[in-house]
Amino acid sequence: QVQLVESGGGVVQPGESLRLSCAASGFAFSTYAMHWVRQAPGKGLEWVAAISFNGYNAYYADSVKGRFSISKDNFKNTLYLDMISLRPEDTAVYYCARLGYCSGGGCFYYGMDVWGQGTTVTVSS
Amino acid sequence: EIVLTQSPGTLSLSPGERAALSCRASQTVRKNFLAWYQQKPGQTPRLLIHGISTRATDIPDRFSGSGSGTDFTLTINRLEPEDVAVYYCHHYGDAASWTFGPGTKVEIK
């Protein structure tokens, strides 16, 4: 079935780095744009980063620009989020989600219809 | 960047009642790129509505979306205890702009 499974979360100290992974299965990963969304404890959803279906274009929220890097390996069906210079305010559950697929007929957007279960990142000294 | 505002912050209703959740955008939403998600306690968000009014797969017809321009509404008819959740509106699309509203919490009296 269609599935996204995140991994790589953990407890780190401020200033440290972490790489999150999101393994996709059950759909044509190479045709989908992918996103990372996070949720701080007790807070709402915050869009973090996005990458185009082919991995050529990446976009970031201002809060993570210059510190986070999103990438996509269409051969391994895996999405990544490399995070450096982590701050306590980066503490959150990080979800990967798919939004929008592209085919020969163009790109189509139907909202974030598949989400992973989330991986928790805690930044604390 | 489009900023989304949701109201009310919390909605407390009895089973069987109708819930109307509002989402207002700071700019006109292009191409109907407005979605709603439901997040039950301890669970992952679930897509309810995309394109302002199209229900996602397996979403019951008690849920409906409406609106245009900058004002949008998620309506939940015949409220059930299982509808207790936080509901988020979301602007998405092809213009490198994705934002979520702060959410509306729906409680059952």
Side-chain angles (χ1 to χ4, degrees), chain A residues 35 37 39 43-47 49-50 59 62 95 99 109-118, chain B residues 1 33 35 37 39 43-47 49-51 88 90 92-94 96 98-102:
Chain A
H35 294 245
V37 175
Q39 186 168 36
K43 302 297 183 181
L45 302 173
E46 179 188 14
W47 174 77
Y59 309 91
D62 288 343
Y95 298 101
L99 193 167
Y109 302 92
Y110 300 128
M112 294 181 178
D113 64 337
V114 179
W115 295 65
Q117 85 288 351
Chain B
E1 173 187 310
F33 286 153
Y37 301 86
Q39 187 177 32
Q43 295 189 17
T44 295
R46 177 175 72 149
L47 177 67
I49 302 283
H50 63 86
Y88 297 93
H90 173 219
Y92 62 97
D94 56 357
W98 301 272
T99 53
F100 290 94

Side-chain angles (χ1 to χ4, degrees), chain B residues 15-96:
Chain B
E17 289 191 303
R18 173 184 296 174
L21 286 62
S22 173
C23 176
R24 178 162 292 176
S26 60
Q27 306 169 36
T28 297
V29 171
R30 301 184 315 117
K31 299 183 182 179
N32 294 345
F33 286 153
L34 193 286
W36 292 90
Y37 301 86
Q38 175 193 62
Q39 187 177 32
K40 296 182 179 181
Q43 295 189 17
T44 295
R46 177 175 72 149
L47 177 67
L48 294 177
I49 302 283
H50 63 86
I52 297 179
S53 60
T54 302
R55 274 187 298 278
T57 303
D58 295 330
I59 300 303
D61 59 8
R62 299 188 298 106
F63 293 88
S64 62
S66 62
S68 64
T70 60
D71 291 299
F72 306 93
T73 301
L74 174 70
T75 301
I76 311 173
N77 288 310
R78 304 182 303 280
L79 203 62
E80 299 183 1
E82 66 185 34
D83 299 331
V84 168
V86 179
Y87 293 83
Y88 297 93
C89 59
H90 173 219
H91 170 255
Y92 62 97
D94 56 357

Side-chain angles (χ1 to χ4, degrees), chain A residues 14-26:
Chain A
E16 293 189 337
S17 302
L18 209 55
R19 169 177 256 206
L20 305 184
S21 299
C22 169
S25 59

